[in-house]
Amino acid sequence: MTSPTAAAAAPVRVPTPVPRRHRHQYHRHYRHYRHYRHHQHRRERNTMARLDHVRHDSEVAERIRRRRGGRLTPLDGMLLHSPPVADGWNSLLAAVREHSSLPADIRELAILRVAALNGAPYEWRAHEPVARAAGFTDAQLAALHEGGDVSPLSPRQRAVLDYTDAMTRQVTVPEAVFDALRPHFDDRGIVELTATVGTYNLVSRFLVALEVGEGAPHGGDGSQSGDGTAVCGGVRKEPGA
């Protein structure tokens, strides 16, 4: 047993204060860590979706299968509780994914940033291989996490990142953030980018709220995209391709 004298003589550890100029970085990384631990705890606590998945052979389900390359996904199984919602969702995602003029790297940047901001790890895991196929490096992917170093991103990618942040965090977009898109996109591109960010906020928040895909296998027949598109061999199988 330690004597009272020895205990009194033991040095007292005083935490090293964080320099003022680094405090904003410290708090930002701490918030990111707490966000990560919250979702990790939720996955450990419950690996099942909050509602049962629906499987049937309705006309709506068949239309979804055609877009998905022949299969239904965990997301589809949740949406099919409401066939009208599932049908409209399928049409919206077809427009955003198949008929947009946005380059693949811009589309995937917006999707991954939304997943990171909304704490949707299933969405991130699904789209990271797609982003890599579009040319993203490890450093560029790291930049899409909160607090990441954005220097590896191009000016156009940084403009998209800022726009995605404003739409997702504050909803309103400052004039300067919007104006920064103008050198890089025409009116159609801005509309399609806005629709992509809005759509994947819908996707990620639906996934997170109902815990869709939590604990779902990835690889083989279980490999799925967060928007419901099949991913084969680590590479997205585009709808209709």
Side-chain angles (χ1 to χ4, degrees), residues 170-185:
Q170 292 90 29
V171 183
T172 57
V173 177
E175 199 69 29
V177 172
F178 183 81
D179 289 343
L181 296 176
R182 284 294 190 185
H184 308 290
F185 300 96

Side-chain angles (χ1 to χ4, degrees), residues 42-56:
R42 190 187 67 194
R43 291 196 300 274
E44 292 169 352
R45 172 181 57 81
N46 181 15
T47 59
M48 300 297 291
R50 285 177 161 162
L51 301 176
D52 291 335
H53 291 91
V54 174
R55 291 289 183 268
H56 54 67

Side-chain angles (χ1 to χ4, degrees), residues 126-138:
H127 281 271
E128 182 178 330
V130 190
R132 290 186 184 278
F136 269 83
T137 64
D138 288 342

Side-chain angles (χ1 to χ4, degrees), residues 19 50 68 84 86-87 93 98 156 159 162 168 181 184-185 192 195 200 205 214 233 241:
R50 285 177 161 162
R68 303 294 195 248
D87 206 17
L93 267 294
E98 299 175 49
R156 179 169 71 166
D162 291 342
T168 304
L181 296 176
H184 308 290
F185 300 96
E192 290 175 344
Y200 277 89
R205 294 177 186 195
E214 297 292 343

Side-chain angles (χ1 to χ4, degrees), residues 65-70 98 229-230 232 235-241:
R65 285 191 181 95
R66 285 199 297 269
R67 188 175 77 85
R68 303 294 195 248
E98 299 175 49
T229 304
C232 302
V235 178
R236 172 185 294 272
K237 182 176 181 181
E238 293 288 352

Side-chain angles (χ1 to χ4, degrees), residues 109-169:
L109 183 156
I111 293 170
L112 287 176
R113 183 61 168 181
V114 168
L117 294 178
N118 288 344
Y122 180 64
E123 186 81 62
W124 180 280
R125 293 195 304 269
H127 281 271
E128 182 178 330
V130 190
R132 290 186 184 278
F136 269 83
T137 64
D138 288 342
Q140 288 174 316
L141 287 170
L144 304 186
H145 289 287
E146 285 198 88
D149 175 14
V150 300
S151 61
L153 301 179
S154 69
R156 179 169 71 166
Q157 290 171 337
R158 287 199 296 273
V160 170
L161 189 77
D162 291 342
Y163 190 64
T164 303
D165 284 3
M167 282 190 62
T168 304
R169 285 172 163 161

